[in-house]
Amino acid sequence: MEHTQQYRPTKAIIDLQAIRDNVHNLHSYLQEGVQIIAVVKANAYGHGDVAVARAALQAGASILAVATPDEAVRMRQHFPDVELLVLGAAPVSFVQYASDHQIMLTVFSPEWVKQAKLVQGLSKPLLLHIKIDSGMGRIGVTSREQLLDLYKEIQTTENFVVDGIFTHFATADEEDAEYFDNQVSLFKELLNALPNKPRLVHAANTATALAKDAALQFDAVRYGISLYGLAPSGYVANILPFPIRQAFSLQTEVVHVKKLKAGQSVGYGASFTAKEDCYIGTLPIGYADGMIRKLGGQTVLIAGERCPIVGRICMDQCMILLPRAYNIGELVTLLGAQGNDFISIDEWATKCDTINYEVPCIITSRVPRTYNNE
Ligand SMILES: *Cc1c(COP(=O)(O)O)cnc(C)c1O
């Protein structure tokens, strides 16, 4: 039997109503008929892929996207009938499964298609989305010649279908549109070079869908970061066309409270020394949970008040400075709302010198994901 019981009080709580609202609001904002591809790669940006995908589909998303074949297999087991796209490269060894289970694959090389052709006995079509590298410099064809080569290779293979074509923008979340506009021009030029328009043309990530021309929604938008209630950048945060709500909270409980005398210290390196007598609480969360050491000094909420983390964060525990002797079991909110206050993922991102995308992704699997408003 799999061990699922969690004795430790540390947990992430994902508000599925926030996920549904974030999708529903986008759906109302998009042009008529534009589909929402819910991007649930990387365990739904650390939120829990199955629960998030289900909520997104309930609220109006019609397609799921993941990064890897293994993520696609997992999604297919839970959602047998939903359209599903792998955004990253898939090995030829995945072609049989993709065809059997109607998983859409991203292609960008005629060589890959030649190899894939050798897979014998596909019973169903292989659905392919051509990736155009219009300036991201990651995967994709970069010229008209490469595109037409690839297109021809697919079209001349029985059972292979050019089901979609797409690109990805490098600077959609920035105010300066020059690089972005160049990517748009190249994408449109290559689209026009195709003899037939594939079923699904898509280009917009969250930033493009929320901050750019509605014409760039094409047939579908790939909705990632704001599905989770986070803005793609500070620039986009200031021009959001509808409100979004952070779905991710992180909680634990105080497991020990002690009085520290002036001059006594806390943690590895004894880096915090009490200037006066004070109370210290111990929390059962540390860097092995994704609470990285850079979060030293970050505040947490306890009884609606902000208390700083003091001393170095340990692998499994950390210590906070308390204004008074709280009881064992007192609720501690590390991310999310408590009382009238709220600790945002953006606040942690700033503290860690990173972007909000990275924060829920680095909360490790030792922290169970639980759900509100299922
Ligand atoms: C991750 C990803 C997205 C989602 O991007 P957001 O900025 O989170 O909306 C869209 N498209 C591709 C190709 C991706 O890899």
Side-chain angles (χ1 to χ4, degrees):
M1 261 276 285
E2 204 190 338
H3 170 74
T4 50
Q5 170 91 42
Q6 289 287 345
Y7 296 101
R8 194 174 67 146
T10 303
K11 61 183 177 192
I13 303 168
I14 289 55
D15 180 356
L16 294 176
Q17 190 55 44
I19 300 280
R20 286 191 292 266
D21 290 347
N22 295 333
V23 172
H24 189 262
N25 288 339
L26 174 69
H27 197 260
S28 310
Y29 171 75
L30 292 176
Q31 308 271 96
E32 187 83 26
V34 174
Q35 297 194 66
I36 297 176
I37 303 174
V39 181
V40 294
K41 63 190 181 192
N43 195 29
Y45 294 38
H47 290 61
D49 52 7
V50 174
V52 166
R54 187 174 295 123
L57 293 166
Q58 283 167 355
S62 52
I63 304 173
L64 299 175
V66 293
T68 73
D70 299 277
E71 290 174 351
V73 169
R74 203 179 125 73
M75 282 296 96
R76 185 48 93 222
Q77 286 167 349
H78 287 89
F79 304 98
D81 301 319
V82 175
E83 282 190 51
L84 182 52
L85 169 66
V86 178
L87 296 167
V92 169
S93 58
F94 188 59
V95 162
Q96 183 75 57
Y97 187 97
S99 157
D100 286 348
H101 296 87
Q102 293 295 279
I103 292 167
M104 304 176 276
L105 298 184
T106 294
V107 275
F108 42 89
S109 139
E111 289 312 310
W112 186 94
V113 178
K114 288 196 179 100
Q115 292 295 314
K117 258 185 210 188
L118 303 175
V119 178
Q120 298 288 318
L122 296 187
S123 59
K124 295 178 185 166
L126 184 68
L127 306 173
L128 298 172
H129 283 222
I130 293 177
K131 182 71 180 280
I132 290 177
D133 177 6
S134 57
M136 180 69 186
R138 198 163 61 176
I139 52 175
V141 296
T142 54
S143 67
R144 186 190 171 99
E145 294 68 42
Q146 285 177 12
L147 172 64
L148 292 177
D149 266 5
L150 176 60
Y151 185 82
K152 206 168 91 214
E153 199 64 51
I154 300 169
Q155 288 295 76
T156 55
T157 306
E158 202 190 317
N159 255 343
F160 284 21
V161 178
V162 180
D163 185 50
I165 185 160
F166 72 114
T167 195
H168 192 52
F169 296 115
T171 62
D173 60 344
E174 295 173 15
E175 184 161 17
D176 185 338
E178 192 182 332
Y179 196 85
F180 179 84
D181 290 342
N182 285 335
Q183 284 201 255
V184 171
S185 305
L186 181 56
F187 182 59
K188 286 186 175 162
E189 184 191 321
L190 296 194
L191 267 189
N192 287 331
L194 286 184
N196 293 299
K197 191 183 95 64
R199 181 182 68 97
L200 271 184
V201 177
H202 49 111
N205 54 0
T206 297
T208 308
L210 269 48
K212 302 290 184 184
D213 188 345
L216 298 174
Q217 296 167 7
F218 292 100
D219 297 314
V221 302
R222 301 187 303 273
Y223 197 36
I225 195 70
S226 294
L227 168 61
Y228 307 99
L230 307 173
S233 65
Y235 165 66
V236 177
N238 286 324
I239 55 167
L240 288 173
F242 53 82
I244 54 176
R245 201 160 91 245
Q246 179 177 314
F248 195 97
S249 299
L250 185 63
Q251 291 185 351
T252 190
E253 292 173 6
V254 175
V255 293
H256 184 56
V257 175
K258 65 193 157 295
K259 192 165 183 179
L260 219 62
K261 291 229 159 51
Q264 292 183 316
S265 296
V266 162
Y268 288 115
S271 65
F272 171 81
T273 302
K275 290 198 183 66
E276 52 195 358
D277 291 4
C278 62
Y279 290 101
I280 296 290
T282 302
L283 308 183
I285 183 168
Y287 60 76
D289 299 298
M291 230 177 99
I292 57 173
R293 285 165 35 124
K294 262 205 163 168
L295 286 163
Q298 170 65 40
T299 53
V300 304
L301 289 168
I302 176 161
E305 262 185 277
R306 292 220 173 212
C307 302
I309 296 170
V310 292
R312 291 190 193 143
I313 295 174
C314 309
M315 188 181 289
D316 317 296
Q317 306 179 65
C318 64
M319 281 65 84
I320 58 175
L321 180 63
L322 297 172
R324 56 191 171 86
Y326 282 107
N327 293 328
I328 305 306
E330 187 76 32
L331 179 71
V332 176
T333 300
L334 299 121
L335 283 170
Q338 194 190 101
N340 297 321
D341 209 343
F342 180 80
I343 301 179
S344 68
I345 284 184
D346 290 290
E347 184 180 328
W348 273 36
T350 303
K351 177 86 187 155
C352 296
D353 291 318
T354 185
I355 53 171
N356 53 13
Y357 289 71
E358 197 174 359
V359 171
C361 287
I362 65 169
I363 302 299
T364 64
S365 60
R366 191 166 79 174
V367 178
R369 270 59 174 176
T370 66
Y371 298 95
N372 266 352
N373 301 313
E374 281 191 85

